[in-house]
Structures are given as C-alpha cells and as structure tokens.
Amino acid sequence: MHKIVDSVYDIIAFSNGIIFTQKTVLENGAVKVNFYGYDIKRMQNTPVTKSVYLLNKFGAEYKKIAEQLGDYVSCDADIMASKHSVVVYDSGETGIFSPEGDMIWSCDLSYQGSEINGVVVDGNQFWSVVPEKNCVVCYSTTYKKFSMRLGSQESTSFQNPVAISKYDNVLYICNKDSRKVRTINLKDYTVSDYRIFDEPVYKYLRSCGKEIVVLESGVYVL
C-alpha cells in the first residue's frame, strides 16, 4: 500500500485520481476548507480548485446546489442517470436536486430510529448504511420509502458500517468495527469479504484503475 496523506475531511474520485479536503480551525474560530488533488497515474499531488471538487461531487449545477447546501463538504452525494443529485449527511438529512439544481425533496431519513449514512444511486433508488443497526438499506425515490434491508443489529454481516460505494453491480461496505470492506452482489444479494485490514476502514473508492481506502492511519492506494 502507498500512503497519500495522513487524514482527510472528504474524498472523491475524479478523472486523474482523487480530490480530498482538509479543514483548519482559524484563530477566530472560523473553519477553513482546503482542496487538494492527487494524480493516481503519476503518483503525485496535482493542483485542483474548489469548482472541480464541486463539479465532480454534485454535477453540472454544482454552484446552485452548493449555495443551497451551505455545508457542501460534510455530506455524501451521487448523481442519478436522470441527472438528479442525491445528497445525504451523517445526520440522515437527505435532499434530492433536479437537473437544474433546484431542491425538489428533502427529509431527515432514519431507519428504525437510526440515521442513515452515505449514498450510492441504483436506478430510481439509492443505498445507504445504518451504523447503529448494522445494516444496509435501499430507499425508493419513487415511492419515498425503504424497500430493502440487508443485515441487522443481531447479525455480524455488517459491523458498524460507515460508508458505501458501488462499482458495476456490486456494493462495497466499509465496516469500522470488523475492519473489513464487504461486498453485496446486487444480482443475488450475497455478502462476501473483499478486503480485511488491521485497523478501522472508513471509505473505499476507485479511480484510474486503482483502489483507494481511508483507514484510521491515513489514505492509501492499494
């Protein structure tokens, strides 16, 4: 594994590699967010702007969406085939934006009283994790309700799942307590181990043919 940086506030993929943010608390108490890029192929830092970060996170109408959100860094986001953007905060606060950048729906989503985290779209629905319930849930944007759950509070399939990503037809679930990335095959919903680490894993993503993980000790290219 090749270590990129010690810690990040947010991290997303883009055409040349990854963009990550770090925050600094100023003397007056204000928080400053800095944006950095890392070129996966060249294995070196690369200049990146806030606009590039926002474009890759929210889509073409990123300016309008970011203005409405205010805090555009501490949320997770994904873009549907219809160009609608779905945004989820760790508090469960969820919003859907039209292709024109207008918020058309918002709700504080919880599953059995516990907040959802993360978002990956899948047709007219999206998947999230529920850390307190040790499960992964699917939410229908058409019917505005949960349509499926995998795992449970009593099960060890997922142990404090904190992040979710999707590649091809497979979900990748980062489990903080078991220190595993586990997969869900969306063809038959089988759950399997994918990666096991010696420390908590907080995020898994891919870019430029490489795998990137956020572990407790930093961000690594596998």
Side-chain angles (χ1 to χ4, degrees), residues 179-195:
R179 303 179 177 184
K180 295 179 179 180
V181 176
R182 305 206 79 196
T183 59
I184 300 173
N185 188 319
L186 293 177
K187 292 181 179 179
D188 55 14
Y189 301 106
T190 55
V191 178
S192 307
D193 284 344
Y194 181 70
R195 295 279 190 178

Side-chain angles (χ1 to χ4, degrees), residues 111-114 130-135 151-154 158 161:
Y111 182 79
Q112 296 183 347
S114 297
V130 189
E132 289 184 354
K133 302 298 184 184
N134 289 338
C135 67
S152 70
Q153 207 162 10
E154 296 75 26
F158 307 105

Side-chain angles (χ1 to χ4, degrees), residues 35 50-51 53-55 57-73 75 85 87 89 97 100-103:
F35 302 87
K50 180 177 76 171
S51 294
Y53 165 79
L54 293 174
L55 173 64
K57 187 168 185 176
F58 300 116
E61 294 298 326
Y62 65 89
K63 289 183 179 179
K64 196 171 182 179
I65 294 174
E67 287 176 0
Q68 293 173 81
L69 291 175
D71 177 8
Y72 50 76
V73 178
C75 59
S85 298
V87 175
Y89 289 88
F97 294 83
E100 294 73 36
D102 299 310
M103 180 178 282

